[in-house]
Amino acid sequence: MDFSRIFPRTFRIRLVRVLKSLRKPFALWPFIAAFARPFRRVARHGSGRVQLAPKLKRPLPAWSLLIMLLLGAGVGFYASTIFSEVAGIGQSTVPDFTLGTNPVSMTTSQGSLAAFTVSLTSLNSFAGSVNLNYSLSPGITNVTIALNPSSLSLLTGAGASTMTVSVPASAPLNTYTITIGGTSGRLSHNVTSILRVVPPPSPDFSTSATPSSLNVTRGSATSSTITLTSIGGFAGTVNLSTSISPSSGSSPTLALNPNRVTLLSGGTGNAVLTISTTGTTLRGVYAIVVLGVSGTLANSVSITLTVQ
């Protein structure tokens, strides 16, 4: 192969001078000589100014250049493989599993329940059973923690367990760390969740309506369920009343049954609001408010009514 037809003369001269400036002998000098073939003489090793030596008798064979290319490709591939292993780029193919919780952090009050979802996922075709365990730090007297189920099979590739924490009313106000562990033979993984225990809310109740938006045709009736829920241990009787806007002699009529609901601590109660219209009811959009009162406590819920 004649390199003189591929690379310009000035480029070859510059390359020879640069290589000549190297202090150590250059191992590929025969290739340099072939690279500079058009000269009657090529540079050779020595001190001082550039010395000349007879040119090679014949150009470098094409097959030797092919060997050089193949050798370079092989060395490059081997080097990249070694680098990948050292740098940790290659991923393990050993069967394994991952462990996670949702939510990672939760706030709950004294005397209440907290629930976490523990999820497991198979890696690299892992299909064994994983046994779950937990630990709480710092500990809480009379706390109850349950994992359901406590053992999962990952034959289908994934699984989930529910961890329920029953926090006693006497639990100290603090931030706790729950460590959930999963083991299967020699495989073991841990994940942590944070549980913050705060004081319980003041006794109160909430009101809600289902549905909270209604459509009715003139001359017909509809209804909504009013739900009252005890908060913070509230227990007592809630008196219910209603109002509608705009209000006139042609507005829909409202009726609550019952209009008094008694709640137990932590319990719920319901009342049904019936809305009636006549053929003379004015079409339009009405706002209905259901008010609940118990002593100094008062809560309300709004309902939107469209008469067509």
Side-chain angles (χ1 to χ4, degrees):
M1 180 179 292
D2 192 348
F3 291 98
S4 63
R5 297 180 181 180
I6 301 176
F7 300 97
R9 179 174 180 272
T10 55
F11 176 79
R12 295 192 300 272
I13 295 174
R14 188 178 298 110
L15 178 61
V16 170
R17 289 178 178 176
V18 170
L19 294 174
K20 182 61 183 176
S21 66
L22 298 176
R23 294 185 177 180
K24 296 182 180 180
F26 194 61
L28 299 179
W29 190 254
F31 300 111
I32 303 305
F35 189 73
R37 181 177 178 276
F39 300 106
R40 297 298 302 173
R41 295 177 180 276
V42 296
R44 67 182 179 181
H45 301 291
S47 59
R49 64 185 182 84
V50 176
Q51 301 180 12
L52 302 178
K55 71 172 184 176
L56 295 180
K57 294 183 179 180
R58 57 183 179 179
L60 188 67
W63 59 264
S64 60
L65 178 61
L66 178 61
I67 292 176
M68 290 175 58
L69 294 175
L70 293 176
L71 180 62
V75 171
F77 175 78
Y78 179 76
S80 65
T81 302
I82 295 299
F83 175 78
S84 297
E85 293 181 356
V86 173
I89 297 177
Q91 297 182 352
S92 172
T93 58
V94 177
D96 204 345
F97 64 91
T98 62
L99 192 64
T101 61
N102 183 43
V104 176
S105 177
M106 178 179 290
T107 299
T108 190
S109 60
Q110 295 167 312
S112 62
L113 291 174
F116 297 84
T117 299
V118 182
S119 58
L120 295 91
T121 304
S122 169
L123 292 178
N124 302 319
S125 302
F126 174 85
S129 294
V130 179
N131 297 315
L132 300 175
N133 58 79
Y134 63 85
S135 63
L136 178 66
S137 178
I140 302 176
T141 303
N142 297 327
V143 68
T144 301
I145 302 178
L147 283 162
N148 185 28
S150 59
S151 181
L152 288 169
S153 174
L154 297 185
L155 285 174
T156 59
S161 175
T162 299
M163 180 177 67
T164 304
V165 183
S166 178
V167 181
S170 59
L173 305 180
N174 203 346
T175 298
Y176 299 87
T177 299
I178 304 175
T179 302
I180 301 99
T183 59
S184 180
R186 296 183 178 181
L187 299 177
S188 178
H189 297 288
N190 294 323
V191 67
T192 59
S193 290
I194 302 299
L195 179 66
R196 297 180 179 88
V197 177
V198 298
S202 301
D204 201 349
F205 65 92
S206 65
T207 57
S208 62
T210 306
S212 59
S213 180
L214 298 168
N215 293 301
V216 66
T217 303
R218 285 199 306 178
S220 61
T222 186
S223 64
S224 177
T225 299
I226 309 302
T227 301
L228 295 90
T229 304
S230 168
I231 298 174
F234 171 84
T237 300
V238 180
N239 297 309
L240 300 175
S241 61
T242 61
S243 63
I244 188 169
S245 177
S247 178
S248 68
S250 300
S251 298
T253 58
L254 310 175
L256 276 168
N257 183 29
N259 57 8
R260 291 167 59 92
V261 177
T262 300
L263 295 178
L264 299 177
S265 176
T268 61
N270 295 323
V272 176
L273 172 66
T274 302
I275 307 168
S276 303
T277 64
T278 65
T280 60
T281 300
L282 294 178
R283 291 186 175 93
V285 178
Y286 296 84
I288 301 172
V289 175
V290 178
L291 176 65
V293 177
S294 179
T296 59
L297 301 176
N299 293 284
S300 63
V301 61
S302 297
I303 300 172
T304 300
L305 173 69
T306 301
V307 178
Q308 300 172 338

